[in-house]
Structures are given as structure tokens and as C-alpha cells.
Amino acid sequence: MTCCGCSRQTFNIFMLGLSFMFVFTAFQTCGIVEQTVLNGMNRDHPDFKGSGYYSLAMIYGVFALSNWLAPSVVSVLGRRVTLIIGAIIYTLFIGYFIYPIEWLLYVASAVLGFGAAIIWTAQGDFLTLNSDEDTLGRNSGLFWAMMQCSLVFGNFYVYFTFGDAKYISDATREQLFFGLLGVCCLGVLTMCTLRKRGDTDHSTLLAVSRPQLLTNQNREGGPWDALRRSFLLFKTREMLVLSICFAYTGLELTFWSGVYGTCIGNTLAFGTDAKRYIGISGMLIGAGEIVGGALFGLAGKRTNRYGRDPIVLLGFITHCAAFFIIFINLPENSPIDPSAIAPYITPNLGLALFTSFLLGFGDACYNTQIYTILGFMCPEDSAPAFALFKFVQSAAAMVSFFYSGHILLRWQLLILLVTNFMGLTAFLNVEFSTRRARGYLRINSDPPRDESAKFVDS
């Protein structure tokens, strides 16, 4: 069945990406500016002691724990309803910042953590169920590129809203978040247009799981079966090894979404417009994400010719270069306080903004390939698989947000560098094992039809 000349599956992927673009225009912009906005609250209202870093840590902590329950929620409510409820929770969180109350900040953060778990689990499941071997890479890239447009639009709005402000006043905060609230509501309405999927052939995708995960009875069971499948899948060798890569994506997510913009805004050498440059940095991170999603998804037949591993290797090299540039270009205490401390070179704004693009591009390299390898290995258990990915990623992000406001930039970069190497090694290990198990399948190519091969927990 087609809609407007495209298949129902393609329509669903497009609308999924569009709705996430609206919702995350609000949330990702909020995450980048939250610490800066709350610093302004602390200045205007001395009794307010809320911390953006602690709020984000609370979000990702509850996010991590809730991922164990998320497949059960999806099983009970269905994918479309779960997506809409999750988007409504994001909308309520954005609305909180119009009139912040300290104790409510952490309550709202905890509720959002649950909403994040269910929306991302439903998203991964919905994307996989509307894809097959030929379209999985394309759909992952299309969704990723569309969603990350949110960073460009949201931070463009931040740039003009902040103006030349040295700190964020109540009026500026209200103007910013009223606009973000309206965009988030538009995302909820767009999500209501998602349709039931048509028939999709999953026979060409690999099943990485214990045999008992693959029975029709278990696949169609209720919430307890969904929870049990999550535990069983997490115990497989492939998922345990990939968890190292998942953890790295959580650490670098924390850095580019919550720390790096604060570092730029706190670098006094960038002048009185330093806070405005947070918005430009966010736009360039988004540009890197969009370019990565387009290259490795939409143009998948050419860029994926040699498989997933070269793309992840490119992400590794890109992030290593970014971390080195940040190390020599920004003050070491800039994650914590405004700083005039001279780093190894005179702080260069152009170099700092170029690094923003590198951070986004490297993140896209990792995430697009994680999406494809999970959809490829776990087509019949996509909800548990994506829930486990988000569990490990958000747990790592929670830990990172707790220490981000307390340790110097050099140590944060060292942690990222080491885990970057570990994540690369883990991904390559699993990628090579899929080749040995079934013969290598190029994304968006014609696969062999050996349906019998599967991994079993070793």
C-alpha cells in the first residue's frame, strides 16, 4: 500500500523522523543550554540552587533503569501509543523551564527519564519493523539525519534569543522555552499520523539470540515475556561486547550535548558574545550529525561498500582529532566556571566551532552503525535490543553528568579517549563475528538467503 507515491513503511519512517525532529528540537536545545540557563536562575534567584548537570544525570539515571521496563510498556500499549505518551512527557519537561521550581526540577527529570526510555525503545522497534535488509541502512540514516536537524533549528533559535546577553535573564528564558514548548507540541501532533506497518520481510536479517527468544509464543507474549527476553538477550556474548561501544556513545553524548557548549560559553577569551556561540556550536554539531546520517544512510550503497567497520573507524579517528583540538584550545576549568586561563594555544573560536562539527560527525558514525547492526542481528527482538542499547548508553551518560561539573576538562577528555578506543575494539569484534557466522552482508545489497544461521549465547 502506498501513500503520496511512497510505501507505507517509507511514510512511517519519514513521519517518525519528522516528529522526533520537532520533539528533539526542544529537548536537545534544552540539554545544551540547561546549565547556562540555570546559572542565570541562580544569579537572579539566590535561593534557587538547581544544577543542570545534576538534572541531566537524573534523567539518564532513570532512563537507564527504565529501559528494563520499556519493552513491557511497548508490549502492553503498542508502539504508536508509547511514542505519543513519551513525546507528551518531553513536552511537559520543556514547559517546566518557563517557571522553574528547584524541587520540581529533579522530579521532572526523573519522569522524563522514564519517558525517554519508552519513546526510544518504541522508536527502535518501530524503525526495525518498517525495514528489511535492503532498507534498514537507508531508514536508519534517514531517521538520524532528520532527527538531528533539530540541533540546527533549535540552536539557531538560541543564537538569536540569547543575543549579546552575558547571562540568561528570566525574560530571555521564558521567551526561549515558550518557543521550544510550541515546537514540542507540534512533534506530538505529528506522531499521531504514524500508521500501522504493512508486511515487511525480515527473513534476510540475522537473529542474534538464544533459541528460545525466537519462538512465536515468546515474541507475541505479554510484558513479562518482554522483560524476560531483555534479560536473555543481554546475556548473549554479542550484546555484552557491544555494551562497551554503547557506553562510549553515552559518555560522548554527555560531552557534546551538555559539556562542550558550557565550555565555549565559559571561555572569556571569546568575548562578550561567548554565550551566543553556544547556539552556533549546537548548529554545527547538528550539521555534523546530518552529514553523517546522509552519507552513511541515504547514500548507503556507496559509503557502505566495505561494511560498517570502516565507518566506525572513521568515527574513532574523527573524535580523537576533536578531543586533541579541544585539549589545546579551551581552558581546562571551562566545564565548571567562566575562565580566562590560557590553554596551550590562544583560544580560537573558529577552531572551537570546527570541533563542534567533528563531534557531531563522529557521533553519527557510531550511532548509525549501531542502529543497523542491532536491526540486522535482532529483527525479532528489536524492542529489547534497542532498550538494552539505551540502558547502557544512558547509564554511562548519568555517570558522566555527575562528574562533568567537578573535574577538569583534561581528565574528561582522557576518559573519552580511552573509552573511544575500547568502543571501537568492541564494535569490530562483533562485526567480524557476524561475518564468520553467516557471510558478510553489505547494507543495502542483495543478501544470501541462508536463514538457518544464528548466534547462540556462548
Side-chain angles (χ1 to χ4, degrees):
M1 185 176 296
T2 62
C3 179
C4 301
C6 65
S7 68
R8 175 171 292 187
Q9 289 83 2
T10 302
F11 174 82
N12 278 339
I13 295 299
F14 178 81
M15 297 308 294
L16 183 69
L18 187 64
S19 60
F20 268 67
M21 183 189 74
F22 289 135
V23 171
F24 283 86
T25 291
F27 177 70
Q28 292 197 127
T29 304
C30 173
I32 289 175
V33 304
E34 182 174 351
Q35 181 63 36
T36 302
V37 167
L38 292 183
N39 285 343
M41 277 290 297
N42 293 338
R43 174 169 176 161
D44 288 343
H45 308 276
D47 292 338
F48 185 91
K49 303 298 181 183
S51 166
Y53 287 143
Y54 288 164
S55 165
L56 291 166
M58 176 71 75
I59 290 171
Y60 284 100
V62 177
F63 188 179
L65 295 176
S66 298
N67 274 298
W68 291 104
L69 300 176
S72 300
V73 174
V74 175
S75 174
V76 172
L77 298 179
R79 301 170 193 90
R80 294 171 65 249
V81 173
T82 304
L83 286 166
I84 293 169
I85 292 175
I88 291 173
I89 293 175
Y90 273 89
T91 304
L92 294 175
F93 180 78
I94 297 301
Y96 159 82
F97 284 92
I98 295 173
Y99 188 76
I101 301 172
E102 183 177 348
W103 66 268
L104 190 56
L105 171 65
Y106 302 112
V107 174
S109 299
V111 174
L112 180 62
F114 174 76
I118 63 173
I119 198 174
W120 279 109
T121 298
Q123 176 272 333
D125 195 21
F126 192 81
L127 186 148
T128 300
L129 292 174
N130 281 275
S131 305
D132 55 26
E133 171 64 22
D134 289 334
T135 61
L136 183 58
R138 182 204 69 186
N139 289 346
S140 298
L142 175 63
F143 170 80
W144 193 258
M146 290 186 67
M147 189 198 77
Q148 296 299 354
C149 287
S150 62
L151 284 168
V152 177
F153 300 143
N155 285 285
F156 187 78
Y157 179 52
V158 166
Y159 178 77
F160 287 101
T161 301
F162 279 10
D164 57 356
K166 296 181 179 178
Y167 79 101
I168 309 306
S169 66
D170 287 349
T172 301
R173 185 193 72 251
E174 290 169 4
Q175 178 185 350
L176 172 65
F177 282 94
F178 268 121
L180 296 180
L181 180 63
V183 173
C184 206
C185 289
L186 187 58
V188 175
L189 295 176
T190 305
M191 213 164 272
C192 294
T193 66
L194 296 176
R195 301 183 175 186
K196 292 183 178 180
R197 70 183 178 94
D199 293 333
T200 305
D201 181 15
H202 289 153
S203 63
T204 60
L205 301 178
L206 190 63
V208 178
S209 55
R210 296 175 180 261
Q212 58 263 43
L213 284 174
L214 302 176
T215 66
N216 289 330
Q217 180 181 359
N218 285 341
R219 283 203 303 267
E220 297 174 3
W224 290 110
D225 281 330
L227 180 61
R228 185 170 67 88
R229 290 202 308 274
S230 297
F231 281 107
L232 289 174
L233 188 59
F234 193 52
K235 292 167 64 178
T236 60
R237 174 191 173 277
E238 289 75 26
M239 195 62 71
L240 288 172
V241 174
L242 274 178
S243 293
I244 301 172
C245 186
F246 299 163
Y248 170 67
T249 65
L251 297 178
E252 56 97 4
L253 167 67
T254 300
F255 187 78
W256 68 254
S257 68
V259 178
Y260 189 61
T262 301
C263 291
I264 290 176
N266 282 342
T267 301
L268 297 180
F270 292 155
T272 56
D273 284 339
K275 294 292 188 290
R276 279 186 96 177
Y277 298 140
I278 296 175
I280 297 179
S281 172
M283 282 188 276
L284 288 171
I285 291 172
E289 298 275 13
I290 294 166
V291 170
L295 283 177
F296 310 133
L298 303 182
K301 286 187 176 180
R302 294 185 178 182
T303 57
N304 292 330
R305 180 174 302 171
Y306 300 104
R308 288 177 280 259
D309 41 314
I311 297 173
V312 175
L313 179 61
L314 177 60
F316 167 79
I317 295 171
T318 302
H319 273 177
C320 285
F323 300 152
F324 176 74
I325 295 172
I326 295 169
F327 176 69
I328 65 174
N329 192 46
L330 296 182
E332 63 178 5
N333 64 333
S334 56
I336 306 171
D337 295 304
S339 177
I341 296 176
Y344 291 89
I345 64 173
T346 302
N348 184 291
L349 178 62
L351 199 57
L353 296 177
F354 173 69
T355 307
S356 300
F357 179 87
L358 294 182
L359 289 173
F361 184 80
D363 183 64
C365 290
Y366 272 101
N367 278 280
T368 56
Q369 302 317 299
I370 287 174
Y371 268 66
T372 58
I373 200 170
L374 288 180
F376 172 64
M377 295 191 306
C378 309
E380 303 299 341
D381 284 289
S382 52
F386 283 97
L388 293 173
F389 165 40
K390 290 299 178 179
F391 162 69
V392 177
Q393 184 186 60
S394 53
M398 174 196 67
V399 173
S400 182
F401 273 119
F402 269 121
Y403 68 65
S404 292
H406 300 285
I407 67 174
L408 297 176
L409 182 61
R410 66 173 69 178
W411 302 118
Q412 298 194 39
L413 294 172
L414 179 61
I415 292 170
L416 289 168
L417 188 64
V418 171
T419 53
N420 187 18
F421 176 76
M422 294 172 63
L424 170 70
T425 304
F427 189 96
L428 295 182
N429 180 283
V430 174
E431 174 72 1
F432 293 153
S433 71
T434 64
R435 297 184 188 184
R436 290 195 302 268
R438 187 179 172 230
Y440 182 61
L441 296 180
R442 294 199 306 270
I443 302 171
N444 293 335
S445 66
D446 294 329
R449 291 286 176 171
D450 176 12
E451 300 178 19
S452 61
K454 63 173 73 73
F455 286 116
V456 180
D457 181 32
S458 57

